């Protein structure tokens, strides 16, 4: 059953439901806005504040020297892309699945599990795309990147959203209850801190170095940073392939799990 | 039983791990019928409804809905039926009207038509004044009406109603019943589960009584009453607590049932039996003759013990 492709009109119907939810009151906006402010604040606090104390010469992308603000800005963008997607597909998805029974209602209509997975992921990507756009506008204004570079960074950030959106759904279907959100928060923080956002992974001792290199956000950070300041390389293609494979794998798994949810 | 066959099941069964919820049932529903599934909690009513609604796969047996196979054509079948689930799953993130409109989109109904249909239904169920509020602000009765309205958004040929009036106050129940009668008059096939015998008696053309995953009786409400109980019941109350001893003194008058607070005598001549009880000078504190109802038939079939 999961081999069936999602129906575009049903995916649109799910998006239209989410837009209605966004328009129906201020509650949703609080979540949406806080998601983009967090990484922006980190970027300003660390990049501008702490960055002014950093000696130059340590921060390079593809051998090219950059400022500390430039070094962490793409990583913060990758993190915003991650948290935007995960907030939808992990937290909202979980509540819709377990508490609001939103999907149960949808599944009594022609909507199929594969349509829900595609529709919710699309919505997560729309939200993430807005985060990425805001981020790019801010860092272009700060002179961290140029508008031309921003056009290349955008799809890189989008791929990060895709991978994490799909991964979020897998986690959402495995959560036992809201008590597990604490673990999710710590997990997300660990990714944020140890994915080479603030310092190169080579500065970490083993086995932390190897372990961090396996984490999905590391590949997201490297991909976004590389597209922001470096040049196209095989390494970048490798990071992109990792994220793509992760996303596709997680999607397939989730659609299958919802399909069999009843039995 | 005039219309064409819209649902048929043969040997239909549903098992969840070790638990067998439905143990092989056969039935047919014809278009325009109101078909009821009665039974205690856990009898298999909701599992049967979920299979008909194409959200739960039969473990074995054959099921056809609108001439199609629910496993292969689930999405297409669901497009032509309406579902009012046992527990409200209205969307708390949306307004009342958006709940209906979002559903119209799930059915692929064009936007303008979906909005029109949503407004019609809000009027029909008398909740139009709540249209722009959130669901959480509604009373239980209003939520139920909204859930039934939502089930009608696609002009369904069959509507599945799982305990449509459970938990509602009498006014709210009557309003729901009136609307369901109107749907019946429009020729919509209704399948409903209920615990309320008065509801089943009022609404159903035909019903089955389920017990532990099987059908134990089937027929019209009147025929079930005729078959499984006597037409009348004499209810006797006494000052004395020793109802068992008293029961023995009237057990030649009909089938006697001992309840904690009274005796029931099932008979076809209620007044006659009441007179004979009085003749025996047993001193009942009250004697009531009433017609048997579906509840008497149901209890005769499924027993009084709460499971």
């Amino acid at each position: 059953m999961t081999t069936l492709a999602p129906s575009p009109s049903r995916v649109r119907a799910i998006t239209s439901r989410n837009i209605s939810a966004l328009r129906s009151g201020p509650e949703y906006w609080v979540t949406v806005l806080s998601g983009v402010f967090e990484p922006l604040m980190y970027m300003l606090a660390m990049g501008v504040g702490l960055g002014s104390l950093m000696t130059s010469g340590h921060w390079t992308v593809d051998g090219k020297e950059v400022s500390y603000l430039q070094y962490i800005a793409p990583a913060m963008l990758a993190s915003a892309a991650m948290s935007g997607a995960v907030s939808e597909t992990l937290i909202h998805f979980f509540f819709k699945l377990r508490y609001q029974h939103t999907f149960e209602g949808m599944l009594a209509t022609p909507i199929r599990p594969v349509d829900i997975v595609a529709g919710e992921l699309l919505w997560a990507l729309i939200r993430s795309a807005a985060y990425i756009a805001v981020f790019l506008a801010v860092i272009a204004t700060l002179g961290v990147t140029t508008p031309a570079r921003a056009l290349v960074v955008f799809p890189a950030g989008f791929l990060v959203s895709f991978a994490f959106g799909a991964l979020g759904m897998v986690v959402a279907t495995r959560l036992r209850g809201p008590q597990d959100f604490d673990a999710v928060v710590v997990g997300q923080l660990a990714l944020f801190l140890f994915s080479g956002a603030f310092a190169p992974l080579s500065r970490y001792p083993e086995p932390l170095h190897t372990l961090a290199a396996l984490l999905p956000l590391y590949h997201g950070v490297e991909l976004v940073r590389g597209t922001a300041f470096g040049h196209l390389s095989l390494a970048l293609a490798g990071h992109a392939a990792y994220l793509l494979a992760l996303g596709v794998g997680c999607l397939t798994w989730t659609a299958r799990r919802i399909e069999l949810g009843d039995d | 039983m005039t219309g064409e066959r819209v649902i048929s099941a043969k040997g239909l069964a549903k098992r969840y791990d070790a638990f067998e919820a439905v143990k092989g049932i056969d039935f047919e529903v014809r278009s325009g019928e109101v078909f009821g599934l009665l039974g205690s909690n856990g009898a298999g009513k909701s599992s049967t409804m979920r299979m008909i609604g194409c959200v739960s796969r039969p473990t074995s047996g054959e099921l056809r809905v609108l001439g199609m196979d629910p496993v292969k054509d689930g999405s297409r079948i669901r497009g032509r039926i309406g579902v009012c689930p046992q527990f409200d799953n209205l969307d708390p993130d949306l307004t009342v009207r958006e709940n209906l409109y979002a559903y119209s989109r799930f059915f692929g109904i064009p936007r303008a038509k979906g909005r029109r249909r949503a407004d019609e239904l809000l009027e029909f169920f008398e909740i139009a004044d709540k249209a722009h509020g959130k669901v959480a602000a509604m009373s239980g009765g209003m939520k139920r009406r909204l859930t039934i309205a939502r089930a009608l958004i696609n002009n369904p040929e069959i509507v599945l109603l799982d305990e449509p009036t459970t938990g509602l106050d009498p006014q709210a129940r009557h309003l729901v019943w009136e609307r369901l009668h109107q749907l019946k008059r429009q020729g919509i096939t209704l399948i409903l589960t209920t615990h309320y015998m008065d509801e089943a008696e009022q609404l159903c053309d035909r019903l089955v009584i389920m017990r532990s995953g099987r059908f134990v009786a089937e027929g019209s409400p009147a025929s079930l009453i005729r078959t499984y109980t006597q037409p009348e019941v004499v209810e006797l109350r006494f000052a004395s607590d020793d109802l068992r001893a008293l029961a023995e003194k009237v057990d030649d008058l009909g089938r006697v049932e001992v309840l904690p607070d009274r005796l029931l005598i099932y008979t076809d001549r209620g007044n006659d039996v009441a007179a004979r009880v009085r003749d025996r000078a047993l001193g009942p504190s009250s004697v009531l003759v009433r017609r048997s109802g579906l509840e008497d038939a149901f209890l005769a079939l499924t027993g009084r013990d709460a499971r």
Side-chain angles (χ1 to χ4, degrees):
Chain A
M1 292 256 120
T2 46
T3 52
L4 293 171
S7 137
S9 68
R10 293 183 196 134
V11 168
R12 269 204 309 278
I14 291 168
T15 308
S16 130
R17 180 255 165 225
N18 289 333
I19 292 171
S20 298
L22 194 59
R23 289 202 321 213
S24 73
E27 300 92 344
Y28 201 171
W29 283 102
V30 176
T31 327
V32 170
L33 291 177
S34 62
V36 71
F37 275 113
E38 193 179 294
L40 272 177
M41 288 189 298
Y42 267 106
M43 182 182 75
L44 295 176
M46 304 281 184
V48 179
L50 209 56
S52 66
L53 301 174
M54 298 282 181
T55 52
S56 54
H58 288 301
W59 317 104
T60 58
V61 179
D62 285 347
K64 193 168 72 186
E65 195 175 318
V66 294
S67 72
Y68 189 60
L69 178 62
Q70 285 176 319
Y71 187 79
I72 68 164
M76 296 303 105
L77 185 147
S79 168
M82 166 179 84
S83 62
V86 162
S87 166
E88 279 304 328
T89 66
L90 203 163
I91 297 172
H92 279 176
F93 192 90
F94 174 79
F95 278 103
K96 287 173 182 171
L97 183 71
R98 295 283 190 81
Y99 290 94
Q100 296 183 192
H101 303 289
T102 314
F103 300 146
E104 181 191 288
M106 287 181 185
L107 289 173
T109 74
I111 302 269
R112 300 158 302 160
V114 65
D115 301 320
I116 292 179
V117 168
E120 291 295 331
L121 182 69
L122 177 67
W123 179 243
L125 292 181
I126 292 172
R127 178 169 160 187
S128 275
Y131 281 14
I132 297 167
V134 168
F135 229 94
L136 285 173
V138 171
I139 62 176
T141 311
L142 292 175
V144 173
T145 187
T146 62
R149 274 283 184 174
L151 289 177
V152 196
V153 176
F154 188 86
F158 200 72
L159 185 57
V160 176
S161 310
F162 169 73
F164 277 99
L167 181 63
M169 281 186 188
V170 169
V171 178
T173 63
R174 304 295 308 182
L175 290 183
R176 288 161 301 175
Q179 73 272 16
D180 286 347
F181 284 154
D182 290 338
V184 167
V185 169
V186 173
Q188 230 181 304
L189 186 65
L191 284 181
F192 180 66
L193 294 176
F194 295 102
S195 289
F198 298 105
L201 282 198
S202 56
R203 295 278 169 155
Y204 295 137
E206 288 295 350
L208 201 58
H209 178 177
T210 310
L211 201 65
L214 295 173
L215 296 175
L217 189 57
Y218 162 72
H219 297 275
V221 166
E222 287 299 301
L223 180 66
V224 175
R225 191 179 274 147
T227 49
F229 299 109
H231 38 75
L232 296 178
S233 66
L234 210 56
L236 280 194
H239 297 308
Y242 173 104
L243 295 169
L244 191 65
L246 178 69
V248 171
C250 290
L251 272 192
T252 312
W253 192 88
T254 308
R256 179 144 187 79
R257 194 169 153 87
I258 302 190
E259 183 88 48
L260 301 172
D262 153 67
D263 306 283
Chain B
M1 293 282 265
T2 48
E4 59 190 296
R5 188 165 56 198
V6 289
I7 302 175
S8 67
K10 268 201 198 81
L12 184 63
K14 178 73 194 182
R15 192 171 46 242
Y16 302 94
D17 294 325
F19 177 63
E20 225 181 333
V22 180
K23 297 172 183 163
I25 52 175
D26 303 321
F27 65 95
E28 272 187 7
V29 181
R30 304 213 163 236
S31 84
E33 249 193 309
V34 180
F35 181 74
L37 288 164
L38 272 61
S40 319
N41 287 329
K45 305 184 300 290
S46 293
S47 295
T48 305
M49 291 291 251
R50 288 169 53 78
M51 288 191 279
I52 300 172
C54 312
V55 290
S56 166
R57 255 170 228 241
T59 310
S60 62
E62 201 182 291
L63 178 64
R64 306 288 288 178
V65 181
L66 295 166
M68 293 180 275
D69 174 355
V71 176
K72 285 212 308 266
D73 301 309
S75 183
R76 248 196 302 168
I77 297 171
R78 293 196 300 269
R80 290 169 58 186
I81 65 180
V83 177
C84 169
Q86 185 177 346
F87 302 105
D88 284 329
N89 55 18
L90 296 166
D91 198 325
D93 296 337
L94 304 182
T95 65
V96 170
R97 185 172 183 260
E98 282 168 344
N99 258 277
L100 298 179
Y101 176 66
Y103 247 60
S104 76
R105 305 291 303 146
F106 298 157
F107 283 98
I109 297 168
R111 287 167 206 276
K113 197 177 159 198
R115 287 199 191 94
R116 209 165 50 234
R117 183 83 184 131
D119 291 333
E120 279 167 22
L121 287 166
L122 290 172
E123 290 292 336
F124 183 70
F125 283 96
E126 299 177 20
I127 41 179
D129 56 327
K130 303 282 173 191
H132 301 290
K134 286 280 182 81
V135 171
M138 295 178 110
S139 70
M142 285 193 263
K143 281 184 191 161
R144 213 60 193 146
R145 267 137 65 196
L146 178 59
T147 306
I148 300 173
R150 195 183 65 176
L152 298 173
I153 196 85
N154 58 330
N155 284 308
E157 292 156 67
I158 304 174
V159 179
L160 306 179
L161 300 145
D162 201 350
E163 299 189 19
T165 66
T166 296
L168 300 191
D169 66 33
Q171 283 80 4
R173 288 180 77 199
H174 279 278
L175 201 110
V176 168
W177 286 347
E178 269 169 41
R179 291 300 173 270
L180 294 182
H181 270 297
Q182 273 176 275
L183 299 181
K184 181 179 172 178
R185 275 201 296 279
Q186 291 168 22
I188 299 173
T189 309
L190 302 180
I191 311 215
L192 97 139
T193 73
T194 182
H195 289 305
Y196 300 118
M197 299 301 139
D198 50 345
E199 181 162 293
E201 232 174 314
Q202 274 212 35
L203 292 172
C204 296
D205 298 314
R206 203 157 56 84
L207 48 90
V208 293
I209 295 179
M210 286 191 88
R211 185 178 184 174
S212 311
R214 292 199 172 84
F215 289 169
V216 291
E218 183 170 357
S220 67
S223 77
L224 286 173
I225 296 169
R226 252 195 330 270
T227 313
Y228 295 100
T229 183
Q230 298 285 329
E232 296 187 327
V233 185
V234 181
E235 297 203 2
L236 305 174
R237 287 172 195 269
F238 295 91
S240 155
D241 279 340
D242 194 6
L243 293 177
R244 297 222 160 262
L246 288 159
E248 279 170 27
K249 295 181 181 160
V250 293
D251 66 0
D252 57 319
L253 300 177
R255 184 168 71 81
V256 179
E257 194 175 356
V258 183
L259 299 188
D261 61 336
R262 67 207 136 119
L263 296 182
L264 304 182
I265 308 176
Y266 295 92
T267 174
D268 50 2
R269 299 174 327 257
N271 288 325
D272 201 21
V273 166
R276 290 172 68 184
V277 169
R278 281 192 203 99
D279 291 345
R280 293 182 186 183
L282 300 170
S285 56
S286 84
V287 179
L288 171 76
V289 180
R290 62 166 175 85
R291 289 183 36 177
S292 295
L294 195 54
E295 187 140 355
D296 298 292
F298 180 80
L299 290 173
L301 275 161
T302 60
R304 285 191 186 267
D305 294 337
R307 271 173 303 275

